[in-house]
Amino acid sequence: MSNLRIFAVNQKKISSLHYFNNMCSSKIRASLKRLKLHVLLGRNYSSLPGLIGNDIKSLHSIINPPIAKIRNIGIMAHIDAGKTTTTERILYYSGYTRSLGDVDDGDTVTDFMAQERERGITIQSAAVTFDWKGYRINLIDTPGHVDFTLEVERCLRVLDGAVAVFDASAGVEAQTLTVWRQADKHKVPRICFLNKMDKIGASFNYAVESIREKLKAKPLLLQLPVGEGRAFKGVVDVVRTEKLLWNPNSDDGKDFERKPLLEMSDPKLLKEATEARNALIEQVADLDDEFADLVLGEFSENFDLLPAEKLQTAIHRVTLAQTAVPVLCGSALKNKGVQPLLDAITMYLPSPEERNYEFLQWYKGDLCALAFKVLHDKQRGPLVFMRIYSGMLKPQTAIHNINGNCTERVSRLLLPFADQHIEIPLLTAGNIALTVGLKHTATGDTIVSSRSSALAASRRAKREGEKKQKENSEAERLLLAGVEIPEPVFFCTIEPPSMAKQPDLDHALKCLQREDPSLKVKLDPDSGQTVLCGMGELHIEIIHDRIKREYGLETYLGPLQVAYREAILNSIRATDTLDRTLGDKRHLVTVELEAKPVETSSLLPVIEYAASVAGDLSQASREAFENGVHSACLQGPLLGSPVQDVAVTLHSLVIHPGTSTTMISACVSRCLQKALKKADKQILEPLMNLEVTVSREYLSPVLADLAQRRGNIQEIQSRQDNKVVIGYVPLAEIMGYSTVLRTLTSGSATFALELSNYQAMNPQDQSMLLSQRHGLS
């Protein structure tokens, strides 16, 4: 505390801007050093976060703001809607950067990976912490590309609110639907920002209508644009009936004026704004009973007299209840509309204490946190992103990982600022920060202060569960829900330049897997090769590039393969006996089982026991049987792909005394493989949702090309001057599609892909695939 006082006294002595700009006095530098508040200077940031212009805040407020003043938000959208540009403007206007970064120039704060700067896309989510008008905002910029959808998923899990960014000329696009569904799953309140209002073809009404139609959401229009396309110059604040106009001569968008709308100067705009405000009041009154009572009571005669603050409070409640979404507009690239968006974030999105987390009652103020992302730093080792739900975290303290059932020590705490970090002495509930020193913690792990704290919380949860007659286990209730990791759809082999480099490659892949749980690495049992499994072509390409740049390994990738699956079409029984003597011990097992197809789509086999054996089996024998079934279903008889949609019933299991469980599993696995070979079989292939946006003149060649690719067109929509082709295409037919589409449309068309489901191949395509595979072998 003495250090904090020294720092505060030093700050009070600074009375002019001249002194502020020359803050290199030895006393302040020494104070900062003693507090270990190191800023890693690599980019031109204006100052320490929190020290903006003449607004010099106390160090305590920087590190530990009150929980009501914290906002944990994410920026989410379809690829190329302007997420990173919006984030860049937010950082500039809040005083955290001195220059406006540009995605095309490759100098943005949150896109700091070399691969992101080269491609102009966001690959991994980046966190930044900043202040705006007394509020602490922890902001995460998420990717829009479908290959990195897990990045969005794991960030939404820990956020209290989100900003959905839309391209005003395109409205709701394919990936917008995906991120919206993810936000619905995690019950995240959100506001909408219609970006690119300056773009030719931008339409405010079209974008709002697409939110209403496609997302089934109720938009609350808090702003109206002043002009569209090239004529866009500002916004109308519907809540306060004011207009905000940005100075056209201002380079950075900081210079704008807020004027009340008057009958004399703006009769048309005033009429539009008044009608929009009345409609907004009626909408909110329909959704919020407290506000409806207020409107029907005091202000039923004249809505104009209703104070803006009352309307804002009601909009805040409606946003939290997720019955409607506030809609704002602007142009991040042209520096218009970002400051009102920041005001809306602090005004309408919830603080951590406004989100209802059931598990917090069991911890009684003890530490409870979720690790939601891991990064590898060459100097510091693994950096783990933490969201703290309750309690406090300090450096040099031990923490307990419930998932891994292990205890680790946090050596340092850092506030994230993209790829640069500021060291801090403690962290309280509601905040997001980076921890250094955790070697075993992975994405989705629940962190508590100690094993005894977890046991105490477990007892409270059990008592609560008994009261409410809940059946879920104590451990399940204690673990915060992690993230569902989607199954990979592409795989290829990866080889080091020489066998001597194989350990280095294994280490690199282990680090990358911990960072990115959607990357799977396995060893091919037949060839002994390492196989990479990923979410798409771009995903595997990025992993390959990172191994080269970050770990200095020139690896070789085999051709990309599609992750097929197999299924059986009829029921089949099989019997097998394994009789083997090892040393002086005889292992003898006889098993009879039945494999049959099931209707429900599931990668894991359904395991059943006939009535004749269900009561006689020991727990060890059951586990051995289940292990054997699972291992047999990993490789099907046609392509060696996993077998899905199968139920296995055990009819008889005779075990000689002293037989090991390993032998039981081996016999079961061999017997099931025999049954699968005898059954009628089919190959299932991944089917992708495809959305192609193309101008009218190129529509015919695009449709003709999709017909050749076994595409199934569902509908063709109109979007402004373009056509949007929506349909399904097998993944095997869409490899390298981006190059073909660019060639067909002179680079004007765009497309979005998303895994839909697995579908049975027709017999002709299946026999062609099998002959290709056998021909290769």
Side-chain angles (χ1 to χ4, degrees):
M1 286 302 293
S2 62
N3 288 337
L4 288 169
R5 288 195 196 99
I6 293 166
F7 186 83
V9 169
N10 284 332
Q11 295 289 41
K12 284 176 184 173
K13 289 178 184 175
I14 301 169
S15 57
S16 69
L17 186 62
H18 172 77
Y19 278 102
F20 179 72
N21 288 336
N22 296 286
M23 280 179 67
C24 291
S25 72
S26 58
K27 280 187 182 177
I28 291 175
R29 210 161 53 222
S31 300
L32 286 173
K33 219 169 203 176
R34 281 198 296 275
L35 282 159
K36 287 186 169 178
L37 222 155
H38 309 309
V39 182
L40 308 173
L41 294 174
R43 225 185 252 112
N44 190 16
Y45 300 139
S46 56
S47 57
L48 283 177
L51 309 179
I52 305 166
N54 270 336
D55 180 18
I56 300 167
K57 303 183 175 101
S58 77
L59 190 65
H60 187 70
S61 73
I62 296 170
I63 291 168
N64 197 6
I67 194 164
K69 295 283 187 180
I70 297 172
R71 298 289 182 272
N72 294 315
I73 64 155
I75 305 274
M76 61 181 205
H78 182 86
I79 192 166
D80 206 28
K83 298 178 295 298
T84 301
T85 305
T86 304
T87 306
E88 197 63 32
R89 300 306 181 262
I90 284 171
L91 291 176
Y92 180 72
Y93 297 133
S94 57
Y96 283 70
T97 52
R98 279 185 179 161
S99 59
L100 287 166
D102 194 304
V103 172
D104 295 333
D105 295 340
D107 61 352
T108 58
V109 171
T110 52
D111 281 359
F112 53 82
M113 285 170 65
Q115 294 87 344
E116 293 176 315
R117 295 189 161 186
E118 285 168 8
R119 290 168 175 79
I121 61 168
T122 303
I123 290 168
Q124 65 176 26
S125 50
V128 283
T129 296
F130 62 92
D131 290 1
W132 176 257
K133 296 184 178 176
Y135 287 84
R136 159 61 46 81
I137 299 176
N138 297 310
L139 182 146
I140 297 180
D141 176 25
T142 64
H145 199 286
V146 69
D147 282 18
F148 310 107
T149 189
L150 181 74
E151 281 288 320
V152 185
E153 177 88 15
R154 62 179 171 182
C155 292
L156 284 173
R157 172 66 190 81
V158 296
L159 296 173
D160 299 317
V163 178
V165 180
F166 299 79
D167 180 334
S169 66
V172 174
E173 297 174 87
Q175 196 61 17
T176 319
L177 281 161
T178 305
V179 294
W180 197 268
R181 280 198 302 268
Q182 288 173 313
D184 280 340
K185 186 166 85 179
H186 295 295
K187 297 183 172 60
V188 177
R190 63 218 84 142
I191 58 179
C192 299
F193 180 61
L194 304 183
N195 192 24
K196 304 192 178 185
M197 283 303 304
D198 62 307
K199 191 175 170 182
I200 295 168
S203 168
F204 181 79
N205 291 335
Y206 170 79
V208 169
E209 200 53 42
S210 75
I211 291 171
R212 189 178 281 117
E213 291 291 319
K214 294 183 180 177
L215 300 178
K216 305 290 183 265
K218 291 180 182 172
L220 302 176
L221 305 189
L222 307 191
Q223 290 180 349
L224 299 173
V226 180
E228 288 180 348
R230 286 180 179 168
F232 178 70
K233 55 179 183 280
V235 298
V236 171
D237 183 340
V238 172
V239 176
R240 295 188 175 276
T241 330
E242 295 174 337
K243 67 174 178 181
L244 285 74
L245 295 179
W246 274 259
N247 184 345
N249 301 319
S250 169
D251 290 334
D252 63 0
K254 278 191 174 180
D255 186 11
F256 69 98
E257 56 180 350
R258 184 186 279 270
K259 288 181 178 175
L261 287 171
L262 301 171
E263 184 67 48
M264 291 173 63
S265 55
D266 300 292
K268 191 182 173 189
L269 264 185
L270 178 62
K271 183 170 180 278
E272 280 181 34
T274 306
E275 286 173 1
R277 190 174 194 266
N278 291 344
L280 176 66
I281 289 168
E282 286 172 12
Q283 247 186 310
V284 176
D286 282 343
L287 300 167
D288 187 84
D289 293 341
E290 189 182 329
F291 184 68
D293 294 341
L294 180 74
V295 171
L296 294 171
E298 292 178 54
F299 306 103
S300 56
E301 298 299 319
N302 190 353
F303 286 172
D304 293 347
L305 299 175
L306 181 76
E309 291 73 21
K310 299 277 188 190
L311 179 54
Q312 286 168 340
T313 306
I315 293 168
H316 177 74
R317 286 198 299 269
V318 166
T319 308
L320 258 60
Q322 293 167 62
T323 48
V325 285
V327 176
L328 298 96
C329 61
S331 168
L333 187 65
K334 293 294 192 294
N335 314 316
K336 295 179 176 76
V338 178
Q339 295 95 327
L341 174 64
L342 272 166
D343 292 336
I345 287 168
T346 58
M347 204 176 296
Y348 303 123
L349 290 179
S351 70
E353 63 185 357
E354 288 176 304
R355 293 295 305 278
N356 180 30
Y357 298 109
E358 187 188 354
F359 55 82
L360 289 184
Q361 59 185 321
W362 306 322
Y363 286 96
K364 302 287 184 192
D366 277 354
L367 174 67
C368 174
L370 181 73
F372 67 95
K373 185 174 166 66
V374 181
L375 288 176
H376 275 85
D377 185 279
K378 284 180 181 172
Q379 278 77 38
R380 301 187 188 97
L383 302 177
V384 180
F385 278 85
M386 290 267 190
R387 160 70 197 266
I388 299 191
Y389 288 96
S390 71
M392 187 187 293
L393 193 59
K394 289 183 177 179
Q396 303 304 323
T397 54
I399 53 98
H400 181 70
N401 181 332
I402 295 182
N403 301 66
N405 194 22
C406 61
T407 299
E408 298 195 78
R409 185 170 291 278
V410 176
S411 58
R412 293 159 71 197
L413 277 177
L414 307 168
L415 268 187
F417 197 70
D419 60 338
Q420 302 187 17
H421 313 113
I422 301 149
E423 196 162 330
I424 52 173
L426 79 157
L427 198 71
T428 53
N431 276 295
I432 287 174
L434 276 162
T435 58
V436 182
L438 303 181
K439 292 183 170 57
H440 306 292
T441 302
T443 296
D445 285 358
T446 303
I447 302 300
V448 294
S449 54
S450 64
R451 191 185 177 88
S452 58
S453 167
L455 290 170
S458 173
R459 284 194 293 273
R460 292 185 200 110
K462 188 178 180 182
R463 283 198 296 271
E464 186 68 26
E466 283 167 359
K467 280 182 201 169
K468 295 185 179 177
Q469 295 182 328
K470 288 186 178 179
E471 291 182 5
N472 52 341
S473 71
E474 297 165 40
E476 277 177 22
R477 287 198 295 266
L478 279 187
L479 295 177
L480 308 181
V483 289
E484 289 176 24
I485 297 161
E487 286 294 321
V489 291
F490 271 121
F491 66 92
C492 66
T493 56
I494 183 166
E495 293 178 8
S498 65
M499 287 310 293
K501 294 283 185 184
Q502 185 67 47
D504 296 339
L505 176 60
D506 292 342
H507 170 71
L509 290 174
K510 189 178 176 185
C511 292
L512 289 169
Q513 266 187 290
R514 196 171 161 202
E515 279 188 35
D516 178 4
S518 66
L519 171 69
K520 304 275 174 67
V521 179
K522 60 185 185 184
L523 199 67
D524 188 305
D526 299 327
S527 64
Q529 289 178 300
T530 305
V531 180
L532 275 188
C533 309
M535 300 304 299
E537 289 179 87
L538 181 63
H539 187 203
I540 286 179
E541 184 189 321
I542 296 293
I543 293 296
H544 185 225
D545 197 34
R546 287 188 66 187
I547 290 169
K548 180 181 174 182
R549 293 190 197 218
E550 295 172 28
Y551 298 92
L553 287 172
E554 286 283 355
T555 52
Y556 305 108
L557 288 184
L560 273 181
Q561 305 283 336
V562 174
Y564 293 102
R565 292 186 189 164
E566 299 178 27
I568 57 172
L569 300 171
N570 61 328
S571 178
I572 200 89
R573 273 197 185 210
T575 307
D576 199 2
T577 301
L578 187 145
D579 188 355
R580 190 167 295 169
T581 304
L582 296 175
D584 57 352
K585 208 172 196 182
R586 188 185 183 196
H587 301 270
L588 176 62
V589 191
T590 301
V591 65
E592 183 185 354
L593 52 78
E594 180 186 14
K596 61 185 177 186
V598 289
E599 292 294 321
T600 54
S601 178
S602 169
L603 188 56
L604 291 173
V606 178
I607 296 173
E608 298 165 345
Y609 298 92
S612 56
V613 294
D616 302 333
L617 281 183
S618 67
Q619 185 61 34
S621 299
R622 276 177 186 264
E623 285 177 10
F625 173 72
E626 288 171 13
N627 287 340
V629 170
H630 284 295
S631 65
C633 289
L634 290 174
Q635 283 194 310
L638 288 172
L639 290 172
S641 300
V643 179
Q644 72 169 42
D645 308 339
V646 65
V648 180
T649 307
L650 176 65
H651 288 284
S652 168
L653 183 63
V654 180
I655 306 166
H656 186 274
T659 301
S660 73
T661 53
T662 310
M663 290 298 176
I664 299 170
S665 296
C667 183
V668 169
S669 183
R670 196 169 74 179
C671 184
L672 183 52
Q673 287 280 7
K674 191 191 290 185
L676 293 174
K677 278 176 185 167
K678 279 199 273 181
D680 296 332
K681 301 167 284 292
Q682 68 178 14
I683 296 172
L684 308 176
E685 64 177 342
L687 196 67
M688 308 299 283
N689 280 330
L690 175 70
E691 188 175 293
V692 184
T693 306
V694 59
S695 56
R696 294 170 192 271
E697 59 190 298
Y698 295 117
L699 181 62
S700 295
V702 167
L703 291 175
D705 178 64
L706 286 175
Q708 289 181 336
R709 294 173 184 272
R710 297 190 283 136
N712 180 6
I713 308 302
Q714 299 295 302
E715 61 175 321
I716 300 172
Q717 300 175 348
S718 293
R719 183 183 287 165
Q720 310 297 84
D721 297 331
N722 292 328
K723 290 289 184 183
V724 181
V725 180
I726 297 169
Y728 298 104
V729 184
L731 177 62
E733 303 290 344
I734 214 78
M735 282 157 71
Y737 182 60
S738 55
T739 309
V740 175
L741 187 66
R742 277 199 295 268
T743 308
L744 283 174
T745 63
S746 303
S748 62
T750 59
F751 76 101
L753 276 176
E754 186 184 12
L755 180 65
S756 169
N757 59 355
Y758 272 78
Q759 174 184 278
M761 293 181 84
N762 67 48
Q764 188 182 353
D765 293 328
Q766 179 170 314
S767 60
M768 197 181 295
L769 175 67
L770 286 170
S771 60
Q772 279 176 355
R773 286 291 176 94
H774 295 318
L776 284 170
S777 61

